[in-house]
């Protein structure tokens, strides 16, 4: 068989089709929103069905305009992607080669590393602080002349912690301007400290910062595959030619625009997740689990007060992410589900620990 290109060598072997888990009653592993798209968004999608024989508008013009109004930035600051996955992949494709290094906090979202490695880059892992936050000072120390991208996720996946805005601004000031700082904000809308408006300053102040946002989580549209990047137009234009056009579809575009305007659903998601998060953390803490304060729609939970085989037993009945997958064997990550799912989860956990 023809050999894969050099930078792929060894990367593909562990990859096979993942198991089908979407129909599982307690699939709480992918940090999806437990709420359905609102009627308002569904109606916009239904209207758009009439146009499916036509290609989408190639540059995402209408969606970039809608984003432009919300962020109060020129539409040229935005790049629409087939989920934020596509934009992560494009960043790696455009900026990395065999001579590059990328820096990631320990346990980071696997695709930041994988896309980097696919393009030949060496991945430098930087351990987290003892409180499971990204260690910005240590990242600064790890920057070499080969460093090309620093991948941050804020709030952090998997630990659900968030960086203080001021710390992040100070960090950006210290990073050399030829190193891209990619801040993946997939979960930021769930956070209590931050808002979209506060992120904007990063792209205004720093031409090397690119923010990544998605409609998959807070906006309930994971299936429609819409994500976007925000950065200064020069950086956006450097990436733009490498996408596969058109890289998003009509249903996704109208649904994203409608859900940006659907403030009732946004408030509903925010309070539903906050209330269910309180319920789950409270119950888990009462059962002697240690729960990291979460700024996202998932919890990172320590089993240090329980039997080491707890995680394996839970995995027999629930789909979630085992901490060993991220390098934290004493933890597990679980998505906040529906009210019913969360109660069922607690019932199962109680039965495992004989409570
Ligand atoms: C940190 C992070 N970034 C990006 C993504 C992918 O998002 P999208 O659905 O927009 O491709 C995920 C999905 O789980 C994620 O956790």
């Amino acid at each position: 068989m023809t050999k894969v290109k050099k930078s792929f060598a060894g990367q593909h072997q562990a990859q096979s089709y993942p198991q089908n888990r979407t129909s599982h009653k307690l699939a709480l592993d992918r940090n999806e929103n437990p709420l359905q798209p609102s009627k308002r968004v569904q109606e916009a999608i239904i209207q758009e069905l009439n146009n499916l024989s036509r290609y989408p508008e190639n540059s995402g013009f209408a969606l970039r305009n809608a984003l432009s109004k919300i962020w109060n930035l020129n539409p040229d600051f935005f790049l629409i992607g087939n989920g934020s996955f596509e934009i992560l992949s494009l960043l790696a494709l455009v900026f990395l080669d065999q001579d590059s290094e990328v820096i990631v906090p320990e346990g980071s979202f696997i695709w930041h590393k994988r896309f980097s490695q696919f393009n030949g880059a060496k991945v430098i892992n930087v351990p987290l602080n003892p409180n499971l936050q990204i260690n910005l000072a240590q990242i600064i120390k790890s920057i070499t002349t080969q460093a090309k991208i620093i991948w941050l996720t804020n709030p952090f996946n998997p630990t659900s912690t968030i960086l203080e805005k001021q710390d992040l601004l100070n960090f950006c000031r210290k990073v050399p301007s030829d190193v891209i700082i990619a801040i993946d904000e997939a979960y930021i809308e769930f956070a209590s400290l931050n808002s979209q408006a506060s992120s904007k300053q990063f792209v205004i102040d720093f031409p090397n910062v690119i923010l990544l946002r998605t409609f998959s989580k807070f906006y309930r549209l994971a299936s429609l595959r819409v994500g976007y990047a925000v950065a200064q137009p020069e950086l956006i234009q450097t990436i733009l030619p490498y996408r596969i056009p058109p890289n998003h579809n009509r249903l996704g575009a109208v649904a994203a625009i409608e859900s940006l305007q659907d403030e009732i659903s946004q408030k509903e998601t925010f309070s539903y997740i906050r209330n269910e998060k309180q319920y789950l953390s409270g119950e888990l803490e009462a059962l002697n689990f240690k729960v990291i304060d979460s700024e996202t729609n998932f919890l990172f939970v320590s089993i240090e007060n329980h039997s080491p085989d707890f995680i394996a037993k839970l995995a027999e009945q629930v789909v979630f992410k085992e901490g060993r997958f991220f390098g934290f064997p004493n933890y597990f990550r679980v998505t906040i589900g529906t009210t019913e799912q969360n109660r069922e989860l607690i019932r199962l956990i109680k039965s495992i620990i004989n409570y």
Side-chain angles (χ1 to χ4, degrees):
M1 202 172 97
T2 311
K3 279 196 179 140
V4 296
K5 66 180 195 177
K6 204 163 136 206
S7 58
F8 276 28
Q11 305 293 340
H12 62 293
Q13 280 151 9
Q15 293 284 299
S16 53
Y17 281 118
Q19 281 185 332
N20 179 7
R21 32 62 73 205
T22 43
S23 56
H24 195 286
K25 190 167 76 162
L26 279 179
L28 299 172
D29 59 330
R30 297 215 283 189
N31 300 339
E32 293 150 328
N33 194 320
L35 301 175
Q36 291 175 351
S38 66
K39 284 280 166 291
R40 174 176 170 176
V41 171
Q42 289 187 27
E43 271 158 28
I45 292 172
I46 290 167
Q47 284 294 313
E48 193 62 21
L49 291 177
N50 293 325
N51 292 325
L52 287 194
S53 57
R54 299 171 57 213
Y55 279 111
E57 198 286 304
N58 192 2
S59 76
F61 185 72
L63 178 52
R64 285 190 301 115
N65 266 338
L67 289 166
S68 151
K69 291 199 182 91
I70 284 181
W71 285 73
N72 201 12
L73 283 172
N74 186 289
D76 290 349
F77 275 75
F78 301 93
L79 171 67
I80 310 301
N82 190 275
S84 48
F85 266 124
E86 187 198 14
I87 302 176
L88 303 177
S89 141
L90 281 172
L91 274 171
L93 176 76
V94 173
F95 293 107
L96 303 178
D97 61 24
Q98 314 272 345
D99 300 322
S100 317
E101 285 180 4
V102 301
I103 305 176
V104 297
E106 172 192 17
S108 268
F109 190 51
I110 187 112
W111 289 99
H112 296 162
K113 299 179 225 178
R114 224 170 244 172
F115 288 134
S116 304
Q117 287 166 336
F118 288 168
N119 290 283
K122 182 174 164 201
V123 176
I124 312 290
N125 279 287
V126 174
L128 301 182
N129 285 331
N131 60 2
L132 299 189
Q133 280 203 326
I134 297 176
N135 188 335
L136 292 174
Q138 204 53 45
I139 292 180
I140 294 286
K141 288 189 191 145
S142 312
I143 300 174
T144 66
T145 49
Q146 260 129 303
K148 291 285 177 307
I149 301 180
I150 300 172
W151 297 106
L152 300 179
T153 308
N154 195 43
F156 193 53
N157 178 10
T159 68
S160 75
T161 55
I162 196 163
L163 293 163
E164 291 288 340
K165 185 183 173 198
Q166 203 50 49
D167 293 343
L168 196 49
L169 282 172
N170 291 340
F171 168 83
C172 292
R173 283 189 198 107
K174 290 181 195 149
V175 173
S177 58
D178 59 347
V179 177
I180 304 273
I181 309 170
I183 310 180
D184 187 335
E185 298 188 326
Y187 301 97
I188 198 140
E189 297 93 346
F190 297 104
S192 42
L193 291 180
N194 265 302
S195 66
Q196 292 198 14
S198 72
S199 300
K200 179 173 149 182
Q201 193 183 340
F202 290 94
V203 292
I204 306 255
D205 289 1
F206 304 101
N208 55 332
V209 166
I210 182 160
L211 303 175
L212 302 158
R213 292 281 183 113
T214 180
F215 286 91
S216 299
K217 311 290 182 183
F218 188 78
Y219 293 102
R220 316 179 185 183
L221 297 174
S223 258
L224 287 179
R225 313 304 305 126
V226 195
Y228 65 100
V230 197
Q232 291 192 12
E234 200 187 325
L235 182 49
I236 296 290
Q237 276 156 27
T238 311
I239 307 167
L240 196 59
Y242 299 95
R243 63 196 174 127
I244 300 171
N247 64 347
H248 65 289
N249 64 75
R250 281 184 173 270
L251 300 184
V254 294
I257 293 168
E258 201 66 32
S259 53
L260 278 176
Q261 285 151 9
D262 185 359
E263 287 176 16
I264 293 174
S265 302
Q266 292 166 26
K267 287 191 181 121
E268 184 189 24
T269 289
F270 190 84
S271 55
Y272 191 94
I273 296 296
R274 187 193 49 205
N275 293 343
E276 288 301 312
K277 192 157 60 177
Q278 255 165 20
Y279 163 77
L280 267 189
S281 333
E283 291 287 319
L284 288 167
E285 279 165 357
L287 299 172
N288 214 10
F289 288 91
K290 210 176 99 195
V291 183
I292 305 296
D293 278 344
S294 167
E295 294 286 347
T296 61
N297 67 334
F298 54 86
L299 295 179
F300 203 53
V301 185
S302 162
I303 60 146
E304 66 192 27
N305 299 327
H306 290 276
S307 156
D309 65 1
F310 170 82
I311 290 185
K313 285 192 177 151
L314 188 63
E316 286 167 12
Q317 305 187 66
V318 180
V319 189
F320 62 97
K321 280 278 191 228
E322 299 186 26
R324 69 184 161 91
F325 181 78
F326 309 104
F328 300 97
N330 284 334
Y331 285 83
F332 66 96
R333 190 196 75 187
V334 65
T335 306
I336 311 292
T338 60
T339 305
E340 297 72 35
Q341 285 176 318
N342 300 332
R343 273 127 198 96
E344 177 66 3
L345 177 68
I346 294 299
R347 195 190 64 73
L348 285 171
I349 290 178
K350 282 182 176 166
S351 73
I352 293 170
I353 61 172
N354 293 321
Y355 181 81

